[in-house]
């Protein structure tokens, strides 16, 4: 699923997405120049300004200026097969307060991943704080552009302690492509690694996106203190009948917590299934001039007993990326439907588009627009929002040899 993407961006994505994501581990090309241990890293950050153009819900009439997608991924490679990898993530940990336009509200840093990785080629193993694989369009490295993951990030699986494996099979000589199977067991991270700095919100606040320290008593799916949660994904590509097609399958099981069961907020275990396809087409003299790459992706995700309660939640997502020279255009659409006994059905909608220009290997400028229809949990009514945004992004990757 890396066709049409630069190896440099593949390395950044691997460091950010974690074990089993895309081509498992870190892009190894940066380490070939070193005879001995080396450190590989990738830093990315973006500055965002989002503001409503129109809305029929007064509390949404607020603009926000913030740092977005701040990520420092790193890997300490001892040899060809053993490494310690991880990433520090920065993002707003508090939501925007109603009626208030704010700047850099609640920005915090936390350790998203830190794990030992053993990569033996056709097989790999990892253990530590991980980001278990599940869906495809849940991360901005796959659904790129402004506002693209506003709905799909709902089903990201982060802040987990666990272990997993990766099995790879290259069957192109038999015409059935390349495949990568990833499986992991995990539980919610209640260790010191969960703490955030700069901003450290406590549980219980209405504006808390992510609390600084998670405890067993806070509940939440997967917060069981036991490794009784698991997920598995299968990625396939280079199939003879359609070489540019990529296929992603994912399954996730999250066990209800004891605290949630006692409080009545988690009465069921949650199960999820994800199916996604992407396709990369390269053409000449289309749109502008020269080489144009178009990559459409679609995904269907369904949760049974979503959030630990009876009912189901379904996501339909589609994304198109078109690249020509320094220009990249993104179009994303997501449907989010929730059905539960005795509860009004939720039918949320998102359409987002954005255009980016890359000045060089490090700097990028983009602007975008989104329309969303979401149900307000307080009023029970649908609200319609039109929002525009501007993003300035910067990235830098490096490798340092440690042998004298």
């Amino acid at each position: 699923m890396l066709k049409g993407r630069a190896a440099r961006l593949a390395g950044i994505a691997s460091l950010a997405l974690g074990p089993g994501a895309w081509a498992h581990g870190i892009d190894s090309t940066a380490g070939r120049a070193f005879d001995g241990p080396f450190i590989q890293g990738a830093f990315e950050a973006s500055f965002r300004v989002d503001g409503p153009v129109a809305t029929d819900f007064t509390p949404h009439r607020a603009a926000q200026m913030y740092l977005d997608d701040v990520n420092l991924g790193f890997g300490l490679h001892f040899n060809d097969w053993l490494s310690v990898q991880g990433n520090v993530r920065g993002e707003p940990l508090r939501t925007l307060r109603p009626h208030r336009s704010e700047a850099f509200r609640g920005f915090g840093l936390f350790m998203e991943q830190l794990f030992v990785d053993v990569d033996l080629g056709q097989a790999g193993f990892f253990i530590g704080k991980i980001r278990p694989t599940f869906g495809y369009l849940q991360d901005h490295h796959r659904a790129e552009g402004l506002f693209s993951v506003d709905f799909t990030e709902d089903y990201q699986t982060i802040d987990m302690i666990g272990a997993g494996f990766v099995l790879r099979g290259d069957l192109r000589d038999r015409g059935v492509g390349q495949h990568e199977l990833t499986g992991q067991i995990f539980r919610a991270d209640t260790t010191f690694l969960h703490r955030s700095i700069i901003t450290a919100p406590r549980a219980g606040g209405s504006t808390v996106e992510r609390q600084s320290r998670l405890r067993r008593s806070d509940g939440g799916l997967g917060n069981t203190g036991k490794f009784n949660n698991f997920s598995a994904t299968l990625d396939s590509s280079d199939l003879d009948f359609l070489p540019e097609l990529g296929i992603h399958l994912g399954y996730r099981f999250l066990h209800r917590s004891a605290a949630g069961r006692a409080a009545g907020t988690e009465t069921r275990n949650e199960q999820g299934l994800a199916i996604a396809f992407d396709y990369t087409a390269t053409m000449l003299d289309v749109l502008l001039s020269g080489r144009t790459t178009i990559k459409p992706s679609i995904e269907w995700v369904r949760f049974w007993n979503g959030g630990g309660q009876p009912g189901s939640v379904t996501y339909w997502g589609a994304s198109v990326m078109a690249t020509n020279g320094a220009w990249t255009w993104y179009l994303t659409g997501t449907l989010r439907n929730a059905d539960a006994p005795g509860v009004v059905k939720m039918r949320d909608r998102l359409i987002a588009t954005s255009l980016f220009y890359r000045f060089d290997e490090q700097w990028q400028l983009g602007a975008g627009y989104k329309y969303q229809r979401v149900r307000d949990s307080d009023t029970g009514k649908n609200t319609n929002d039109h929002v525009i945004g501007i993003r300035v992004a910067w990235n830098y990757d490096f490798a340092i040899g440690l042998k004298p």
Side-chain angles (χ1 to χ4, degrees), residues 112-130:
E112 186 178 40
Q113 298 182 99
L114 184 63
F115 58 92
V116 176
D117 185 71
V118 177
D119 191 340
L120 303 176
Q122 293 184 335
F125 309 91
F126 50 90
I127 184 170
K129 181 165 185 177
I130 61 175

Side-chain angles (χ1 to χ4, degrees), residues 112 128-132 157-162 186-189 221-222 229 254:
E112 186 178 40
K129 181 165 185 177
I130 61 175
R131 183 174 182 177
T157 315
I158 63 173
D159 285 320
M160 297 293 172
I161 298 289
F186 51 88
R187 63 172 177 83
D189 176 20
L221 291 173
N229 311 279
L254 295 180

Side-chain angles (χ1 to χ4, degrees), residues 180-298:
E180 182 172 282
L181 174 65
T182 305
Q184 47 259 303
I185 58 173
F186 51 88
R187 63 172 177 83
D189 176 20
T190 54
T191 72
F192 69 95
L193 290 174
H194 193 279
R195 289 187 181 274
S196 62
I197 61 173
I198 303 179
T199 297
R202 296 182 179 180
S206 60
T207 64
V208 174
E209 285 264 310
R210 179 191 183 276
Q211 64 194 72
S212 176
R213 178 66 188 269
L214 182 68
R215 296 175 173 81
R216 290 278 305 281
S217 58
D218 294 323
L221 291 173
N223 189 6
T224 60
K226 303 176 182 178
F227 295 101
N228 53 2
N229 311 279
F230 58 90
S231 67
T233 55
L234 175 64
D235 290 278
S236 303
S237 60
D238 289 318
L239 302 168
D240 259 15
F241 66 91
L242 205 57
E244 304 299 330
L245 177 69
I247 304 173
H248 175 88
L249 304 175
Y251 174 79
R252 187 179 78 181
F253 176 90
L254 295 180
H255 202 284
R256 60 182 179 175
S257 66
R261 184 169 63 249
T265 57
E266 299 165 39
T267 62
R268 302 286 192 279
N269 300 324
E270 180 187 275
Q271 297 186 71
L273 181 64
I275 303 174
F277 302 90
D278 68 19
Y279 185 84
T280 303
T282 302
M283 296 167 282
L284 298 177
D285 299 322
V286 179
L287 296 180
L288 299 175
S289 62
R291 185 184 184 205
T292 298
T293 300
I294 300 177
K295 182 176 181 178
S297 305
I298 59 172

Side-chain angles (χ1 to χ4, degrees), residues 82-394:
L82 178 63
S83 64
V84 175
Q85 301 184 30
N87 73 287
V88 178
R89 184 172 177 179
E91 61 182 20
L93 303 185
R94 294 186 183 276
T95 59
L96 185 67
R97 290 175 291 189
H99 309 287
R100 296 190 183 186
S101 294
E102 297 177 309
F104 306 107
R105 168 174 166 78
F107 178 81
L109 294 170
F110 59 94
M111 183 70 70
E112 186 178 40
Q113 298 182 99
L114 184 63
F115 58 92
V116 176
D117 185 71
V118 177
D119 191 340
L120 303 176
Q122 293 184 335
F125 309 91
F126 50 90
I127 184 170
K129 181 165 185 177
I130 61 175
R131 183 174 182 177
T133 57
F134 172 60
Y136 184 71
L137 294 178
Q138 64 188 36
D139 190 276
H140 76 276
H141 290 101
R142 293 169 176 174
E144 300 183 72
L146 268 70
F147 311 113
S148 296
V149 297
D150 281 12
F151 283 7
T152 57
E153 64 182 358
D154 292 353
Y155 48 86
Q156 290 182 358
T157 315
I158 63 173
D159 285 320
M160 297 293 172
I161 298 289
F165 68 88
V166 179
L167 298 177
R168 306 180 189 88
D170 188 346
L171 304 176
R172 285 175 293 181
D173 57 340
R174 303 180 184 179
V176 289
Q178 298 186 87
H179 308 275
E180 182 172 282
L181 174 65
T182 305
Q184 47 259 303
I185 58 173
F186 51 88
R187 63 172 177 83
D189 176 20
T190 54
T191 72
F192 69 95
L193 290 174
H194 193 279
R195 289 187 181 274
S196 62
I197 61 173
I198 303 179
T199 297
R202 296 182 179 180
S206 60
T207 64
V208 174
E209 285 264 310
R210 179 191 183 276
Q211 64 194 72
S212 176
R213 178 66 188 269
L214 182 68
R215 296 175 173 81
R216 290 278 305 281
S217 58
D218 294 323
L221 291 173
N223 189 6
T224 60
K226 303 176 182 178
F227 295 101
N228 53 2
N229 311 279
F230 58 90
S231 67
T233 55
L234 175 64
D235 290 278
S236 303
S237 60
D238 289 318
L239 302 168
D240 259 15
F241 66 91
L242 205 57
E244 304 299 330
L245 177 69
I247 304 173
H248 175 88
L249 304 175
Y251 174 79
R252 187 179 78 181
F253 176 90
L254 295 180
H255 202 284
R256 60 182 179 175
S257 66
R261 184 169 63 249
T265 57
E266 299 165 39
T267 62
R268 302 286 192 279
N269 300 324
E270 180 187 275
Q271 297 186 71
L273 181 64
I275 303 174
F277 302 90
D278 68 19
Y279 185 84
T280 303
T282 302
M283 296 167 282
L284 298 177
D285 299 322
V286 179
L287 296 180
L288 299 175
S289 62
R291 185 184 184 205
T292 298
T293 300
I294 300 177
K295 182 176 181 178
S297 305
I298 59 172
E299 181 177 44
W300 173 84
V301 175
R302 184 178 180 88
F303 293 99
W304 290 268
N305 303 319
Q309 294 288 352
S312 64
V313 183
T314 306
Y315 294 80
W316 290 92
S319 175
V320 178
M321 178 184 71
T323 302
N324 186 291
W327 294 93
T328 307
W329 172 72
Y330 304 98
L331 176 65
T332 303
T334 310
L335 311 179
R336 179 173 59 192
N337 302 330
D339 298 280
V343 179
V344 177
K345 295 181 179 181
M346 182 176 68
R347 297 291 182 266
D348 293 342
R349 303 291 183 262
L350 170 70
I351 299 175
T353 185
S354 55
L355 181 65
F356 279 79
Y357 180 81
R358 179 170 290 280
F359 296 94
D360 52 34
E361 290 297 305
Q362 294 179 318
W363 289 97
Q364 191 179 45
L365 174 65
Y369 159 83
K370 77 169 178 179
Y371 162 75
Q372 67 177 17
R373 187 188 74 186
V374 295
R375 179 172 293 278
D376 181 71
S377 58
D378 295 327
T379 65
K381 298 180 179 180
N382 288 326
T383 68
N384 297 278
D385 302 322
H386 300 265
V387 182
I388 59 173
I390 298 174
R391 179 166 71 186
V392 179
W394 179 80

